[in-house]
Amino acid sequence: MKKGILYAVLASVLWAIVNPFIKQGLSYDFSPMNFAGLRFTVVGIILFAYTWHRGMWREIMQHRRLFGNLILINMFMGYTAFYFGVDFVSGAISSIVMGLTPLINVLLAHLVASNDRLNRYKVVSLAVSLAGLLLIVGTGSDGSPLDWRGIGGIVLLLACILFQGYSAISVSEDKGKVDPIFLNAVQMFFGGLLIYGVGIAAEGFHPFWAKPVGFYASLGVLVFISVFAFSFWFMALRTEGTKVSDINMCRLINPVLGAVLSWIMLPGEYPDFSTVAGMAVIVSSLVIYFRGETIVQRWRLRRH
């Protein structure tokens, strides 16, 4: 389990720095689906070069349900919602909302997974995290009320969490059947092509050559993150003795590190009371989740 937690922490640290680079890449006159499709297709090509082996296509057909789930739900639906959501709200708010991923997935695991049930401490943790979200939803990055575009962005980010949480459960319950890095290669390449194709049809073609250096720097960082982060994540999910809910709690690293990086890197974004308070409340839910029972037991011992 400790090995699985370590992989999850590594993936979470990498994912925490994604949102500011997505915002930067989109700022160079590039649309969300074109950018996402280009990124993931490049990642898939790199990983295929590393994992190519005989019998590869037979393996894909043998596990076509798992691969189909990842390509359609995790990649296409999940990342389409994610990229539009990030485009609609500030980098800090998108980082903090995505920090709800572990807590929403705890509830999802209780409803869908076969061996992952809620207890009263997890329920309290979910309630605390929702209170943090209400603080964040009330304001934008400048402290003013969010408009319909901002609220729509948050709804899309929450939809992304649900799509990807369901896929994570399916990967976890198929432990040991497919190499995690090969699994990542297939979902990235075919999912990226699907996103890119639909993006061209819906948004028009955006040429990716003759762009400023900043565009390629952002794309390069995002490609690097995707090569390693998802591979680490699948390793965590497929490690024996780990549960989806426990692995997902490591993603509470994301709202803190992601929001701080947005405030540092992106012009016009700075901390305000509501976003900082919401971040603190969400992170406190991690303490309740893992240490709630221990804290209550110690309090009872002191009383007696």
Side-chain angles (χ1 to χ4, degrees), residues 200-222:
I200 290 172
E203 303 168 337
F205 176 71
H206 289 247
F208 50 83
W209 50 85
K211 291 285 185 181
V213 174
F215 173 81
Y216 299 109
S218 298
L219 181 61
V221 170
L222 291 169

Side-chain angles (χ1 to χ4, degrees), residues 1-68:
M1 181 177 176
K2 290 180 180 178
K3 185 178 179 182
I5 294 293
L6 174 61
Y7 285 137
V9 168
L10 290 172
S12 298
V13 169
L14 290 173
W15 275 327
I17 64 177
V18 159
N19 292 11
F21 288 100
I22 291 176
K23 296 288 285 187
Q24 281 194 337
L26 292 174
S27 70
Y28 293 101
D29 191 29
F30 223 78
S31 61
M33 293 187 75
N34 271 247
F35 193 51
L38 178 63
R39 169 193 173 188
F40 295 131
T41 303
V42 171
V43 172
I45 292 170
I46 293 171
L47 290 175
F48 263 137
Y50 177 74
T51 60
W52 194 277
H53 57 276
R54 292 181 64 183
M56 182 179 67
W57 300 110
R58 185 170 62 253
E59 185 176 1
I60 292 173
M61 292 305 298
Q62 183 181 354
H63 301 286
R64 58 186 175 274
R65 181 176 179 180
L66 175 62
F67 283 116

Side-chain angles (χ1 to χ4, degrees), residues 19-269:
N19 292 11
F21 288 100
I22 291 176
K23 296 288 285 187
Q24 281 194 337
L26 292 174
S27 70
Y28 293 101
D29 191 29
F30 223 78
S31 61
M33 293 187 75
N34 271 247
F35 193 51
L38 178 63
R39 169 193 173 188
F40 295 131
T41 303
V42 171
V43 172
I45 292 170
I46 293 171
L47 290 175
F48 263 137
Y50 177 74
T51 60
W52 194 277
H53 57 276
R54 292 181 64 183
M56 182 179 67
W57 300 110
R58 185 170 62 253
E59 185 176 1
I60 292 173
M61 292 305 298
Q62 183 181 354
H63 301 286
R64 58 186 175 274
R65 181 176 179 180
L66 175 62
F67 283 116
N69 179 325
L70 290 174
I71 291 168
L72 293 175
I73 299 178
N74 188 55
M75 292 299 300
F76 179 67
M77 296 171 67
Y79 272 101
T80 298
F82 177 70
Y83 266 75
F84 277 106
V86 169
D87 193 37
F88 289 171
V89 298
S90 71
I93 288 181
S94 63
S95 295
I96 297 169
V97 172
M98 290 306 292
L100 286 171
T101 296
L103 300 168
I104 292 175
N105 284 346
V106 168
L107 179 59
L108 192 63
H110 172 76
L111 297 173
V112 178
S114 57
N115 64 341
D116 218 336
R117 291 292 178 261
L118 283 172
N119 58 36
R120 57 183 175 176
Y121 301 104
K122 292 180 180 181
V123 171
V124 172
S125 182
L126 285 170
V128 171
S129 70
L130 290 175
L133 177 62
L134 291 175
L135 282 171
I136 296 164
V137 168
T139 60
S141 59
D142 58 355
S144 61
L146 286 172
D147 57 14
W148 285 109
R149 178 182 173 88
I151 294 171
I154 289 177
V155 170
L156 286 170
L157 291 173
L158 293 174
C160 166
I161 293 172
L162 291 174
F163 292 142
Q164 296 187 336
Y166 176 79
S167 296
I169 292 169
S170 68
V171 171
S172 178
E173 295 195 338
D174 279 331
K175 283 182 171 67
K177 293 182 180 180
V178 183
D179 175 73
I181 300 176
F182 178 65
L183 199 64
N184 193 21
V186 174
Q187 74 147 1
M188 287 287 172
F189 181 72
F190 290 106
L193 281 180
L194 181 59
I195 293 171
Y196 196 48
V198 173
I200 290 172
E203 303 168 337
F205 176 71
H206 289 247
F208 50 83
W209 50 85
K211 291 285 185 181
V213 174
F215 173 81
Y216 299 109
S218 298
L219 181 61
V221 170
L222 291 169
V223 166
F224 172 83
I225 290 170
S226 293
V227 166
F228 289 98
F230 256 113
S231 298
F232 286 145
W233 188 247
F234 286 158
M235 289 177 185
L237 289 170
R238 301 172 80 81
T239 300
E240 290 296 334
T242 59
K243 292 183 178 180
V244 173
S245 57
D246 294 340
I247 291 296
N248 267 286
M249 292 307 291
C250 297
R251 295 189 69 170
L252 281 173
I253 294 169
N254 294 21
V256 179
L257 185 55
V260 170
L261 286 172
S262 293
W263 293 326
I264 293 171
M265 294 174 57
L266 299 177
E269 294 201 17

Side-chain angles (χ1 to χ4, degrees), residues 119-121 287-298:
N119 58 36
R120 57 183 175 176
Y121 301 104
V287 178
I288 298 171
Y289 181 90
F290 280 116
R291 305 294 293 175
E293 188 172 1
T294 302
I295 292 170
V296 170
Q297 287 175 350
R298 288 179 179 175

